[in-house]
Amino acid sequence: MKSLFLALSLLLSCFFTANAQSKQPNILFLIADDWSFPHAGVYGDQVVRTPTFDRLAAEGALFTNAYTASPSCSPSRASVLLGRYPHQNGDGGNLWSEFPNAQPTYVQILEKAGYHTGSTRKGWGPGEFEVTGFDHNPAGKSYTGFAEFLANRPDGAPFTFWFGSTDPHREYVANTGIQAGMKLEDVVVPGFFPDNDCVRNDIVDYYFEIERFDRECGQLIAMLEEMGELDNTIIVMTSDNGMPFPRAKANLYDYGTRMPLAIRWPKKVKPGTVVHDFVNFVDFAPSFVEAAGQSQNSMSGQSLCGLLAGEKQDRDQVFLERERHANVRKGDLSYPMRAVRTHQYLYIWNPMPERNPAGDPTVHQSVGQYGDVDHSITKFLIMALEGKSAAGFPDLFELSFGQRPEEELYDVEKDPYQLNNLASNPSFASVKEEMRKELLDWMEQTGDPRFENPKSTYWDEARYTPDYQHENIDWQKQIEEYRIRPPFGQFSREGIPCLSDLE
């Protein structure tokens, strides 16, 4: 009788444990590769079509001030997984790094709590994780896709799945945007690009890949609906860093750090919620841990759970940073930046302004000239503008490839493209001082090595994992060979042609 009672107790215990697990929310994390705010229909973009993202926003929460922790793939994704700022992740603060293994990821915490975990395509990276003890990508064991992952799910187990697309990362197939029906004349060209048909065509090719990412995310959501798990799943759709264009990706200006973000969670979030508070990617991991009913003490981010439930939080600013992106400076040098962004201002500190922010003008190891900027027709056209700035127009070459002062300050309400640096303007001295103090206080509180030693060479000396050597690219030939339909356009200002008509 005693043994029968014990067996019954164990059976009931297993039943209630499984039942409790089934009530834990699933987590579906959908992350693009190089997608900037505000390039989604729900943000008002009139060209790119993002019905999946727009649906998540309508059925959940749309964020207007979501920021990546770093505008570079590896450090951004490490911060998502670890809930820690890039400078707290050692070598993981660089691109092409080794994944830090001193603190648990949210995936590891949830796996220990009984979650089925997995990922597909681009998880954490680029870089190496095996050398620090991982037997699979830190984003989760790799599966061919969501269907295979679900087929391997234990009965009743909650799950967390990372879908990492490589869209809209370059390279692009030229003219896909036009072929998909997009109109060049409808494109809004950021003020730090030349406004011509070549650049507009480059942007709609980027839009084409955003649309492909959006469609694939829709397919995963359809699977959730079919299996009856949609409303028990937290769905997060966002990007790792900004668009692969000059003065965007790998920069702390808004087009490098400000991200699209929508979260659907019916049990917590009212449909049509719009969140204007600042959130940082370090907030994802503690949010997922809390949602799963677990605890952690290693993360710097602030859980979004309370904010999504309507709780008032102190989120009036966000802190941003970057270290070495590609290996594009002689001596393997980083280009360190730290910043604080409020609703009105962006303050950037460049502690090593003597270095080249976009990389050296000749190839060092990675990519090519000015290698922190991905190669594109937009990049090459701006390179062709060196020394050709016209009166009354911003010097587009200097904005993208020139050296920068130690301090930058922008009124983002009046200057959304961050073209007019106010740091030396006496009228903004008090604003600059206040924001500098906020930034330094945050650096001290979070243990940033650059607080004590602004010229630290730590990230210069960190291992760059790939072993290859590129050559200088013939960018002038690339311009000559570039073809678009309709015929080539011209710069909006006189005297600087876009391309010769090669027809």
Side-chain angles (χ1 to χ4, degrees):
M1 180 66 70
K2 186 175 182 181
S3 59
L4 178 62
F5 178 80
L6 179 60
L8 182 60
S9 298
L10 287 172
L11 181 63
L12 289 172
S13 175
C14 290
F15 170 80
F16 286 120
T17 299
N19 192 50
Q21 283 184 342
S22 68
K23 292 182 180 180
Q24 290 175 289
N26 307 312
I27 299 166
L28 178 60
F29 189 68
L30 310 167
I31 183 167
D33 194 358
D34 299 0
W35 175 29
S36 288
F37 175 98
H39 300 146
V42 71
Y43 289 128
D45 193 296
Q46 298 299 305
V47 182
V48 68
R49 294 155 293 198
T50 54
T52 303
F53 185 81
D54 299 354
R55 174 193 173 181
L56 294 179
E59 297 178 358
L62 177 70
F63 292 76
T64 62
N65 283 295
Y67 284 78
T68 181
S70 179
S72 178
C73 293
S74 310
S76 168
R77 291 161 185 260
S79 288
V80 169
L81 289 161
L82 291 162
R84 296 166 60 82
Y85 290 105
H87 66 257
Q88 298 175 316
N89 292 331
D91 291 13
N94 283 351
L95 186 74
W96 284 109
S97 55
E98 298 176 0
F99 190 83
N101 198 13
Q103 307 292 342
T105 67
Y106 79 81
V107 175
Q108 290 172 314
I109 293 172
L110 267 56
E111 187 171 33
K112 288 183 178 179
Y115 270 70
H116 177 48
T117 65
S119 68
T120 193
R121 302 194 200 172
K122 187 171 182 177
W124 173 82
E128 294 183 4
F129 51 82
E130 299 91 345
V131 294
T132 55
F134 285 83
D135 56 8
H136 57 68
N137 193 285
K141 180 182 176 182
S142 181
Y143 289 87
T144 58
F146 195 34
E148 184 195 15
F149 168 78
L150 292 174
N152 283 272
R153 175 192 181 192
D155 290 342
F159 66 80
T160 178
F161 186 74
W162 173 299
F163 172 66
S165 174
T166 54
D167 289 335
H169 196 288
R170 292 189 186 272
E171 297 177 351
Y172 302 148
V173 176
N175 308 321
T176 48
I178 285 180
Q179 291 165 5
M182 301 181 203
K183 305 296 184 184
L184 299 188
E185 59 268 25
D186 295 335
V187 173
V188 175
V189 179
F192 42 90
F193 298 160
D195 188 354
N196 62 62
D197 284 350
C198 299
V199 172
R200 287 170 177 261
N201 194 63
D202 201 16
I203 292 173
V204 297
D205 289 344
Y206 153 76
Y207 281 170
F208 174 84
E209 295 207 356
I210 293 172
E211 293 188 356
R212 185 166 60 193
F213 169 66
D214 188 86
R215 282 195 304 274
E216 290 194 296
C217 290
Q219 293 165 4
L220 271 64
I221 292 170
M223 291 185 197
L224 287 176
E225 289 184 285
E226 291 171 8
M227 60 191 294
E229 291 276 10
L230 180 62
D231 287 345
N232 191 42
T233 302
I234 301 169
I235 304 175
V236 177
M237 187 171 175
T238 189
S239 173
D240 59 353
N241 51 249
M243 62 195 296
F245 286 74
R247 207 173 165 86
K249 178 180 176 179
N251 286 278
L252 299 190
Y253 309 114
D254 276 4
Y255 275 75
T257 57
R258 193 175 183 182
M259 298 290 98
L261 175 61
I263 298 179
R264 186 186 190 278
W265 187 8
K267 294 182 179 179
K268 291 284 185 179
V269 183
K270 294 180 180 179
T273 297
V274 179
V275 179
H276 297 297
D277 299 66
F278 285 100
V279 301
N280 188 296
F281 276 19
V282 297
D283 299 332
F284 287 139
S287 304
F288 298 155
V289 171
E290 181 180 342
Q294 304 303 305
S295 61
Q296 54 77 30
N297 57 12
S298 62
M299 298 177 181
S300 303
Q302 182 180 7
S303 172
L304 299 170
C305 293
L307 182 67
L308 290 169
E311 176 185 309
K312 179 63 178 175
Q313 296 182 347
D314 181 14
R315 290 180 174 272
D316 295 328
Q317 59 191 11
V318 68
F319 297 97
L320 312 165
E321 64 185 280
R322 68 149 276 181
E323 284 294 340
R324 189 174 65 204
H325 184 63
N327 198 350
V328 295
R329 296 168 197 85
K330 186 176 181 179
D332 306 344
L333 304 181
S334 175
Y335 187 81
M337 304 174 74
R338 300 291 187 271
V340 55
R341 170 71 153 83
T342 67
H343 288 288
Q344 185 170 1
Y345 295 105
L346 170 66
Y347 171 78
I348 301 174
W349 178 45
N350 303 305
M352 295 185 175
E354 68 278 6
R355 297 181 178 182
N356 295 311
D360 291 344
T362 56
V363 70
H364 169 50
Q365 178 180 346
S366 173
V367 185
Q369 306 96 303
Y370 302 115
D372 270 354
V373 181
D374 291 12
H375 292 328
S376 67
I377 186 63
T378 302
K379 172 181 177 175
F380 299 145
L381 288 173
I382 295 176
M383 288 174 66
L385 293 178
E386 184 175 8
K388 297 180 182 178
S389 61
F393 291 89
D395 189 328
L396 300 184
F397 177 87
E398 284 299 314
L399 286 174
S400 291
F401 305 117
Q403 289 183 313
R404 297 170 186 169
E406 183 174 353
E407 293 182 292
E408 300 176 68
L409 177 67
Y410 301 95
D411 184 335
V412 294
E413 292 184 349
K414 297 178 180 178
D415 181 18
Y417 297 128
Q418 292 102 62
L419 303 176
N420 182 26
N421 184 9
L422 303 171
S424 60
N425 187 326
S427 300
F428 293 88
S430 60
V431 174
K432 184 178 71 173
E433 291 300 321
E434 180 181 351
M435 296 193 75
R436 181 198 294 131
K437 183 180 184 303
E438 290 286 340
L439 180 64
L440 291 173
D441 286 349
W442 167 76
M443 292 173 64
E444 182 180 23
Q445 291 165 10
T446 57
D448 190 337
R450 292 205 185 276
F451 176 77
E452 295 290 346
N453 181 10
K455 304 291 186 180
S456 170
T457 60
Y458 176 87
W459 287 282
D460 299 341
E461 297 164 6
R463 177 173 169 247
Y464 187 73
T465 56
D467 182 16
Y468 54 68
Q469 179 62 53
H470 283 281
E471 302 294 333
N472 283 331
I473 190 169
D474 187 345
W475 57 269
Q476 293 171 318
K477 182 179 180 182
Q478 295 289 319
I479 292 177
E480 293 170 1
E481 293 180 348
Y482 191 77
R483 300 285 201 277
I484 66 167
R485 299 292 189 273
F488 300 130
Q490 300 291 320
F491 275 99
S492 58
R493 57 183 185 267
E494 292 183 357
I496 306 175
C498 171
L499 291 171
S500 300
D501 190 344
L502 301 179
E503 298 301 304

